[in-house]
Amino acid sequence: MAIAAVFRTCPDTGLKVHSHAENLIKANAVVAVIFLAVGGFFGLLVALTRWPAVHLLPADAFYLVLTAHGANVLLFWILFFEVAVLYFASAILLNSRLAMPKVAWGSFVLMIIGAVIANVAVLQGESSVMFTSYPPLKAVPHFYLGLILFAVGMLGAVLVFFATLVIAKDEKTYEGSVPLVTFGAITAAIIAVFTLASGAVILIPTWLWSMDLISEVDPIIYKVIWWGFGHSSQQVNVAVQVAIWYAIAAMVLGAKPLSEKVSRAAFLLYIVFLQLASAHHLLVEPGISSNWKVFNTSYAFYLAVLGSMIHGMSIPGAIEAAQRRRGLTQGIFEWLRKAPWDNPAFSGMFLSLILFGFLGGITGVVMGTEQINLIIHNTMYVPGHFHATVVAGTTLAFMAITYLLIPLIFRRELVFKRLAKWQPYLFGIGAAGISLFMMGAGTLGVPRRHWDITFTDAPLTVEMPGTAFLMMGLNGVFAILAAIGGLAYIVVVVGSVFFGKHRDEAVAKANPVIFDGGEAVTQYGSEGTIRIPGTIVLVAIFFTSFVLYYFVNWKYLSEVWPLR
Amino acid sequence: MAIHPPADRIWWNEKLTAPEVIWISVAFVWGLIMFFAMIYWHAVGDQNLSNEAYKISPEVFAERTEAMVEKYKVREEGDTGIPVVRPPAGSDIYMLGRLWEWWPILELEKGQQYRLHLSSMDWQHGFSLQPANINLQIHAGYEMVITITPSETGEYSVVCNEYCGIGHHTMVGRIYVVDKKK
C-alpha cells in the first residue's frame, strides 16, 4: 500500500500527518466557523431584542431567530468543531492514518445536509419551536429530519474516530497508553454515542408524529429522553473542552499532568455519571418522584462534579509545575503573572477554565439542586448559566485551540496578530458579562425565551423590577462586546487560512508554536520537589465561593412561600 | 506531555501528591454534603415540591376549575371579564394554563394553606409566580397538586416562562394575597 505517499511530517512535532485526516480537520473546522458566524449573528439579534430600550425584532422574528440561534451555535458550530478535534486527537496525536476516510467524508456531507435542512425549516417560519422543540409544539417534518440526518452524520464521525483508535493500536503507531488528550476525546466520543442514540430514540418518533403517523408524543417522556441528548451533548462538550485545556497547556507550556492516573480517573467519572443530567431539566415537573430527581440531578452523589473539580486542580497545577520548573518560582503567583498572556491560545484557554469553573460550574450545581431549582427554573438564570459553560467555556476553548490548529494543520501564520492577542479577552469578558447579567435578571424573575417583559399586550399588568430592565440592558451591552470578540475571531481565522504566510519548514523553525523546553519539563510531572502553592490558593478561592454561593441560594429558597 | 503517550508506561502506579489527595477527599465529601442536603431539606425544609400528580384530561380539569369559579367567584377583574375567585382557606383551588392566559384570578388569605391544582389545556406552560419567583412546569394531561401557604400579602403576577407560541409574552395571570377576613 502506498500509505507513505499520503503522509507529511510535521516540522513542529515530528508527528506524521495523514492527508485525509488533515483535510477532514480543515473541512470540519471551516464549516464549524461558518455556523458560529451565522449562529452568533442570530444571538446578537436575540440580545438586542431582549434589551428593553432597543427591542429590535418583532415577536415572530424574535422567536424564529432564537430557535435558529440555539441550533446553529449549540449543535452545528460545536459538533462540527468536535469532529475536527476527534480526528486531531486520534489520527494526528496517535501518529496514525485516519480510518475509513470515505465514511468520514460521507458523514461530513450528511451533517451539512442535515444542518442546512434544519436551518431552512426554521427560516421558513413554521418551526419556531425553540432548540428544545417540546411537544405538543410542532415543527414541520423536515426540521426533525434535518436534526436526525445531522445526528446520523455525527455518529459516522464518531465511528471513524473509534476505528482510527483500533488501527493505531493495531499498527503500533504509538507506544504504551494513548495520550491524555486522546483519552479525553475517547471520553467525549463514548458520551456522544449515548447522546446521539438518545437523540435518535426521541427525534424519530417525534418526526413521525409531525407527519401524523403517530398520534401522540408524551411531553414528559419526550423531555426525559430529549435531554439525554440535549444535556449529554453538553457533557460531550465538557469532555472535549477539558481535553483541549490539557492540550493547550501541554503545547504552549510543556505542562505535563500532575498525575495521569488522577486525570484519567476524572474522565472516567464523566463517562459513568454525566448522562444522568437529563434530570436537571425535570426538577419542577409533575409526575416524577423526588427520589429519581435527587439521585439523577446529583449525578449520584455529585461524582461527575468531582471529576470536574479534579480537573480544576490538575490543569492549573500542571501549568504551575511547568512554569516553576522553568524557574518562575518567586512568591505564590509569579508562574501565573509571567504566563504567556499575549498568546491567544493560552489566554483563551485559561479564561475558559476560570469562567467555566466559577460562573458555569458553580451555578450549574446550585440550580441543579432539586429544591433550589424552584426559584430558577426557566428564568433568565438558565441561559445565564449555560452561556457561561458553552460560550465562555466551550466556545472560548475551541477558539483558543484554533490558534494552534492554524499553524499546525492549516500551515499558515496568523494574520492580524494584535487583534488575535486581544480576541480572547474581548470574547471572554463579553461572554462573562452576558452570563452574569442574565443570571442576575433570572434571580429577579425575568422569564427566558420571552419577547416582552413590559407585558404591554397582556390583559393584566405585570411589573418587573427596574433592576431587571437594567440587567437585560447590560446583557445587551456585553452581547455586543462578545459579538465584537466573535467577529475578531472570524476575521483572524479567515484571514489566516486564506492569506496567512505559508508555514514551510523554515518559518516553522523560526517561529515554533509547540513548547520546546527539553526533557526536564516534559518528563517528571509531579515528581521531585515541585510544589503548587498558587494552584492550592486558586482552588481554595474556588471552593470557598462554591460553598458560600450554594448556601446563599438555600437561604433565598427558605424565604419563598412554603409549599409541599 | 498530555499530547504524548505517558512517559511512565506503568502510570497507574504513580503515587499521588498530598494536595491531590486532600482536594479529591474534600471534593468527594462536599458532594456527599450536597447530596444529603436535598434529603435533609425534604425532612425539615418548608419548600419542597410534592410528588402528587395525576393523569387527567384537559376537559375534566377545565370542568373542575369552572365549578370552583362558579362557586366562589367574588367579582370580575376591572373590565377584563376575568373572574376573581376567593375559595375558602384550606380548600382545593385550581388554575389552568391555556393559550394565552392563566385562569382564573385567585384571591387567597395570607398564612392559610391551599391545595393548588395546576394543569394545561394545550401546550406546555411555565407557571412563574412573581415576585415570589416560584417556577413550575405545567403539562397538558398531567395535574400537579401542591400545598401552598402564601406568606405575604400583595398582588402577585403569574407569567408564563415556557415558550408556548406567538402569544407567549401576553400569557399572564394573577394571585391576590389578602389578610384574613375579620
Side-chain angles (χ1 to χ4, degrees):
Chain A
M1 280 171 76
I3 289 177
V6 292
F7 283 98
R8 68 175 174 91
T9 301
C10 174
D12 287 274
T13 60
L15 289 169
K16 287 191 301 175
V17 180
H18 184 226
S19 62
H20 279 299
E22 186 168 60
N23 291 334
L24 278 156
I25 291 169
K26 286 182 187 172
N28 279 285
V30 166
V31 171
V33 171
I34 293 170
F35 281 111
L36 174 67
V38 173
F41 174 67
F42 287 141
L44 181 63
L45 296 181
V46 170
L48 291 178
T49 306
R50 294 223 60 174
W51 185 343
V54 179
H55 213 217
L56 184 70
L57 298 175
D60 53 348
F62 169 74
Y63 292 124
L64 184 154
V65 162
L66 185 50
T67 306
H69 170 57
N72 280 298
V73 281
L74 202 51
L75 277 183
F76 306 148
W77 141 249
I78 286 181
L79 292 187
F80 271 110
F81 201 92
E82 278 169 358
V83 173
V85 174
L86 287 183
Y87 293 162
F88 181 80
S90 54
I92 307 295
L93 290 186
L94 295 181
N95 213 16
S96 168
R97 67 188 168 92
L98 190 78
M100 308 186 291
K102 280 185 185 154
V103 176
W105 283 113
S107 301
F108 173 68
V109 172
L110 200 57
M111 284 170 74
I112 291 183
I113 292 172
V116 169
I117 291 177
N119 263 301
V120 168
V122 172
L123 295 175
Q124 281 171 332
E126 298 299 314
S127 302
S128 297
V129 293
M130 302 295 128
F131 177 60
T132 44
S133 55
Y134 290 150
L137 213 52
K138 198 184 275 186
V140 293
H142 54 281
F143 173 79
Y144 306 105
L145 181 64
L147 295 182
I148 292 166
L149 293 178
F150 181 81
V152 172
M154 179 76 190
L155 209 47
V158 173
L159 183 70
V160 169
F161 169 79
F162 284 124
T164 304
L165 297 181
V166 173
I167 285 179
K169 177 118 187 131
D170 197 44
E171 296 177 355
K172 297 192 172 55
T173 60
Y174 63 98
E175 300 218 346
S177 306
V178 296
L180 179 59
V181 172
T182 309
F183 194 88
I186 295 171
T187 303
I190 291 170
I191 302 173
V193 172
F194 170 87
T195 298
L196 296 164
S198 302
V201 165
I202 198 62
L203 285 173
I204 291 172
T206 309
W207 175 49
L208 298 175
W209 166 75
S210 73
M211 295 187 296
D212 293 324
L213 296 172
I214 289 180
S215 62
E216 189 191 359
V217 175
D218 183 276
I220 296 179
I221 294 291
Y222 175 93
K223 278 180 133 169
V224 173
I225 304 175
W226 193 91
W227 281 111
F229 160 74
H231 204 110
S232 303
S233 66
Q234 307 319 314
Q235 323 288 19
V236 177
N237 302 343
V238 173
V240 171
Q241 126 202 351
V242 172
I244 287 175
W245 292 342
Y246 279 113
I248 293 178
M251 291 201 258
V252 175
L253 295 168
K256 178 187 176 297
L258 293 177
S259 154
E260 293 277 353
K261 178 162 64 178
V262 169
S263 297
R264 285 170 199 241
F267 275 122
L268 275 180
L269 289 174
Y270 283 173
I271 297 178
V272 181
F273 296 106
L274 273 180
Q275 290 89 329
L276 307 185
S278 175
H280 293 177
H281 304 267
L282 300 155
L283 294 175
V284 295
E285 224 79 11
I288 299 175
S289 77
S290 287
N291 294 344
W292 188 91
K293 289 173 180 172
V294 167
F295 180 81
N296 285 279
T297 196
S298 66
Y299 307 106
F301 313 106
Y302 292 97
L303 292 176
V305 175
L306 176 64
S308 289
M309 288 170 82
I310 291 172
H311 291 305
M313 170 182 251
S314 308
I315 294 169
I319 293 171
E320 178 171 7
Q323 292 278 79
R324 283 184 182 272
R325 220 172 273 119
R326 186 168 310 141
L328 299 170
T329 52
Q330 294 289 310
I332 297 180
F333 283 123
E334 190 193 19
W335 63 276
L336 190 58
R337 246 188 1 260
K338 295 199 176 155
W341 291 107
D342 52 1
N343 178 341
F346 175 81
S347 62
M349 171 259 155
F350 209 85
L351 281 174
S352 162
L353 171 74
I354 296 289
L355 295 176
F356 181 86
F358 278 85
L359 292 185
I362 292 176
T363 62
V365 171
V366 167
M367 69 195 274
T369 305
E370 190 209 1
Q371 295 94 337
I372 292 175
N373 193 255
L374 270 169
I375 56 172
I376 288 176
H377 177 77
N378 267 0
T379 65
M380 282 304 284
Y381 195 98
V382 178
H385 155 74
F386 70 68
H387 280 75
T389 57
V390 180
V391 184
T394 308
T395 298
L396 191 50
F398 288 5
M399 287 172 166
I401 193 100
T402 309
Y403 295 116
L404 295 174
L405 290 180
I406 289 173
L408 294 175
I409 298 294
F410 288 89
R411 282 185 283 165
R412 300 276 189 166
E413 290 285 286
L414 287 183
V415 297
F416 309 125
K417 285 197 173 139
R418 277 175 70 96
L419 186 63
K421 187 173 109 180
W422 286 104
Q423 189 275 328
Y425 297 98
L426 287 171
F427 190 78
I429 292 168
I434 57 177
S435 304
L436 279 170
F437 292 117
M438 279 198 266
M439 289 193 275
T443 59
L444 297 168
V446 175
R448 69 184 293 202
R449 295 172 167 176
H450 199 280
W451 180 65
D452 180 21
I453 56 167
T454 64
F455 297 90
T456 310
D457 302 329
L460 300 167
T461 56
V462 176
E463 279 201 35
M464 282 282 160
T467 329
F469 285 85
L470 177 67
M471 296 272 185
M472 293 311 290
L474 288 169
N475 171 53
V477 172
F478 278 83
I480 291 173
L481 190 62
I484 293 170
L487 188 65
Y489 170 75
I490 287 159
V491 166
V492 171
V493 169
V494 173
S496 305
V497 166
F498 290 104
F499 309 109
K501 191 167 144 196
H502 274 284
R503 205 159 183 278
D504 53 27
E505 232 159 284
V507 179
K509 274 230 162 59
N511 187 15
V513 293
I514 299 282
F515 177 83
D516 183 22
E519 295 294 282
V521 177
T522 58
Q523 293 299 316
Y524 293 103
S526 61
E527 285 174 43
T529 54
I530 294 297
R531 292 173 192 281
I532 49 167
T535 301
I536 292 170
V537 170
L538 288 180
V539 168
I541 294 170
F542 171 80
F543 187 63
T544 310
S545 320
F546 193 168
V547 173
L548 289 177
Y549 189 69
Y550 179 75
F551 286 115
V552 161
N553 276 276
W554 278 112
K555 173 86 172 58
Y556 288 150
L557 176 73
S558 72
E559 289 163 359
V560 306
W561 291 8
L563 57 131
R564 59 188 167 81
Chain B
M1 290 203 289
I3 56 169
H4 298 136
D8 180 4
R9 288 194 60 160
I10 317 294
W11 49 265
W12 50 90
N13 282 347
E14 285 169 1
K15 280 191 74 171
L16 302 188
T17 58
E20 285 174 306
V21 174
I22 293 168
W23 177 233
I24 292 169
S25 312
V26 168
F28 179 72
V29 171
W30 174 236
L32 289 179
I33 290 171
M34 292 193 295
F35 178 84
F36 286 106
M38 291 188 279
I39 294 167
Y40 172 79
W41 197 260
H42 272 284
V44 304
D46 284 333
Q47 292 80 13
N48 286 291
L49 209 47
S50 79
N51 285 319
E52 193 176 351
Y54 304 94
K55 282 213 147 197
I56 192 168
S57 80
E59 294 75 28
V60 172
F61 191 84
E63 275 170 29
R64 291 183 192 169
T65 311
E66 280 154 15
M68 173 197 73
V69 170
E70 201 159 306
K71 208 162 166 190
Y72 299 118
K73 178 174 162 181
V74 288
R75 61 175 188 276
E76 285 185 354
E77 177 70 25
D79 54 4
T80 60
I82 306 169
V84 179
V85 181
R86 183 162 181 169
S91 67
D92 284 77
I93 58 176
Y94 295 81
M95 185 177 274
L96 57 80
R98 64 185 165 207
L99 305 174
W100 283 286
E101 64 174 348
W102 292 104
W103 190 88
I105 294 174
L106 299 172
E107 189 167 279
L108 310 177
E109 286 175 10
K110 178 185 162 182
Q112 298 292 329
Q113 285 190 355
Y114 298 87
R115 270 167 59 83
L116 174 62
H117 299 241
L118 294 164
S119 190
S120 163
M121 297 295 102
D122 34 56
W123 293 351
Q124 287 189 41
H125 297 292
F127 173 94
S128 178
L129 184 75
Q130 298 300 338
N133 209 6
I134 293 171
N135 303 280
L136 304 166
Q137 187 80 24
I138 307 304
H139 291 265
Y142 291 88
E143 176 184 31
M144 181 190 253
V145 187
I146 53 170
T147 303
I148 56 169
T149 313
S151 52
E152 298 284 339
T153 60
E155 185 184 306
Y156 291 84
S157 295
V158 182
V159 307
C160 178
N161 67 7
E162 182 59 74
Y163 173 70
C164 56
I166 189 63
H168 166 53
H169 48 273
T170 65
M171 178 167 172
V172 298
R174 188 169 288 171
I175 293 177
Y176 291 106
V177 180
V178 296
D179 281 318
K180 209 173 162 182
K181 263 187 201 151
K182 301 275 157 36

